[in-house]
Amino acid sequence: MQTNARLAVVVAAVGVAAVAIGGVLAYQQVPEVLGAAAAPLAASPTSTPTPSNSPSRTPSAPPATPLPTPAKPSGTPVTTPPHPGKVQLKVEVDKLTKGRDPQLPYLVGREVLGGGGWSTKVPGSQSIQQVERIGNSVLVIVAKRPGKPGSELLKLDSSGEPERTDNVTSLLTTEGGTAAYVAERTDADGVPTGGGTIYYRTTEPVPPLKLQVPAAGGNGLKVVGLTDKVYYRAQDGLSGPWKLFEWTPGDSTAKQVKTVDSPTRVSSDGAVVSSISSAAGGQTCSAVSLLDSGKRLWKSCEHLITGFSPDHSITIGLAGYGANTPPTKVQVHDTATGKLLREWTGSFGGAVAEDDQHILILAGVEKLGGDWSKSSIIRCEVPTGSCEAAIGLTTSRLSISGR
């Protein structure tokens, strides 16, 4: 089975802006190669686990030293300690030592593993777009019909028959067991027509809370942040900047957050927000700002911001896009200053923070034509730059939680 799922992962993580990123930052350093000589980040078995029907007994990762995060955004972002060693690091995926399994939910073939829950197989043959967990339930976005628009959310648990929600196009969850997702309003062919419903649910066995978004000003709905509030974006028409909205679950209306335009992600603590803008020559740029005040901390036109660490101290970005290819670089920056802390190079499909110190990256081994012959989920440590294989190379389809 040929693995070429990385484009789907990148699109799910960053949206349509990915194809607009140009520019590659030129560095004078020679990348250090991470491969057979690299030691694992933690003691673990040496073989790739076989998915099973029993709950995972993999211990949680040791907690990273906590950084001073304010209880509420105070206008001062968390700063990171110094990170010694080389900044640029080349990853040879096929030579990495096996480490512990991913601590976030992940997909192998059609089986959802990790995240502290039971192994769950996704029924049917529909293409799987995203997997998450809340409590003992698995949430999966799948395509409704091959080759046509439209998707749906499946809620899978021990009750048996999946609970289905039509036209769900974006989904976020938290470690606290909450989820928010968008069901866009569509026509009979599955094409969005504007407006839709924002859902918020917890692990409690009760129906989700809902917010109806009207068609006017409700195009391109997407959940971009989840704290005790739901942050979503929408635009007035098919073009123009996205507007950011904040909804407190249970309220009948949402309010616009006017401190930032064209948001792409709100940090999980609600302190900072990333956004995109256009530059000369049609180039797309990313920026990081404080959510409360809108004060811009820094801007870059050389990579696309896709997320933050849980304490928002580091910002994750992707760079090195080709004309029709996914990124070749995963970067982490100091959120407060924009300083580049680490840059891993290879063939990648997306990246997400596993915790405040580790990044999970979907990576692959390329063959002629640009497709992946095999793929892997790797874990890279920000303080040291070291990487290991969280899931060894496989021909099965892989995906990581987008939390």
Side-chain angles (χ1 to χ4, degrees), residues 295-313:
K295 178 183 177 181
R296 179 180 291 175
L297 301 178
W298 52 277
K299 177 181 178 180
S300 173
C301 297
E302 292 149 347
H303 71 281
L304 186 68
I305 296 170
T306 60
F308 302 95
S309 60
D311 70 352
H312 80 257
S313 64

Side-chain angles (χ1 to χ4, degrees), residues 122 180 199 232 289 291 323:
V122 180
Y199 291 84
Y232 67 93
S289 306
L291 182 62

Side-chain angles (χ1 to χ4, degrees), residues 29 48 55 59 63 71 86 118 144 240 255 262-264 291 298 341 350 386:
Q29 301 177 350
T48 301
K86 284 184 173 290
W118 294 81
K144 291 176 70 173
K255 66 177 183 179
S262 296
T264 55
L291 182 62
W298 52 277
L341 303 176
S386 299

Side-chain angles (χ1 to χ4, degrees), residues 67-283:
L67 296 174
T69 305
K72 292 185 178 181
S74 62
T76 303
V78 173
T79 56
T80 58
H83 290 75
K86 284 184 173 290
V87 172
Q88 285 184 289
L89 301 159
K90 182 179 179 180
V91 178
E92 295 184 345
V93 179
D94 55 343
K95 296 180 181 180
L96 294 179
T97 304
K98 178 67 176 72
R100 70 188 188 279
D101 295 347
Q103 303 302 290
L104 296 181
Y106 62 97
L107 183 74
V108 179
R110 299 192 69 82
E111 192 162 17
V112 182
L113 300 152
W118 294 81
S119 167
T120 303
K121 186 173 183 179
V122 180
S125 59
Q126 301 152 291
S127 174
I128 300 171
Q129 299 176 1
Q130 186 178 344
V131 297
E132 304 288 351
R133 285 190 191 273
I134 57 166
N136 293 321
S137 299
V138 170
L139 302 179
V140 188
I141 298 180
V142 298
K144 291 176 70 173
R145 293 166 292 179
K148 294 185 179 181
S151 56
E152 63 179 349
L153 178 77
L154 307 181
K155 178 176 177 287
L156 309 174
D157 53 35
S158 59
S159 63
E161 189 66 22
E163 177 185 320
R164 299 174 183 269
T165 306
D166 278 346
N167 304 320
V168 171
T169 53
S170 67
L171 165 67
L172 285 179
T173 60
T174 68
E175 288 187 38
T178 62
Y181 45 96
V182 166
E184 293 190 275
R185 192 172 293 112
T186 67
D187 61 18
D189 294 321
V191 178
T193 57
T197 305
I198 311 292
Y199 291 84
Y200 172 86
R201 73 184 314 150
T202 68
T203 57
E204 297 297 320
V206 295
L209 299 174
K210 302 177 185 180
L211 174 71
Q212 299 298 327
V213 179
N219 286 280
L221 288 176
K222 183 176 182 179
V223 177
V224 296
L226 178 58
T227 59
D228 57 339
K229 302 181 188 332
V230 178
Y231 294 92
Y232 67 93
R233 72 186 187 200
Q235 58 190 151
D236 291 332
L238 298 179
S239 61
W242 295 312
K243 296 178 182 179
L244 180 63
F245 294 88
E246 174 188 281
W247 173 50
T248 300
D251 288 357
S252 59
T253 59
K255 66 177 183 179
Q256 184 180 349
V257 180
K258 298 183 179 181
T259 56
V260 64
D261 285 330
S262 296
T264 55
R265 195 65 182 261
V266 174
S267 63
S268 60
D269 59 2
V272 292
V273 56
S274 61
S275 60
I276 60 171
S277 61
S278 296
Q283 192 175 30

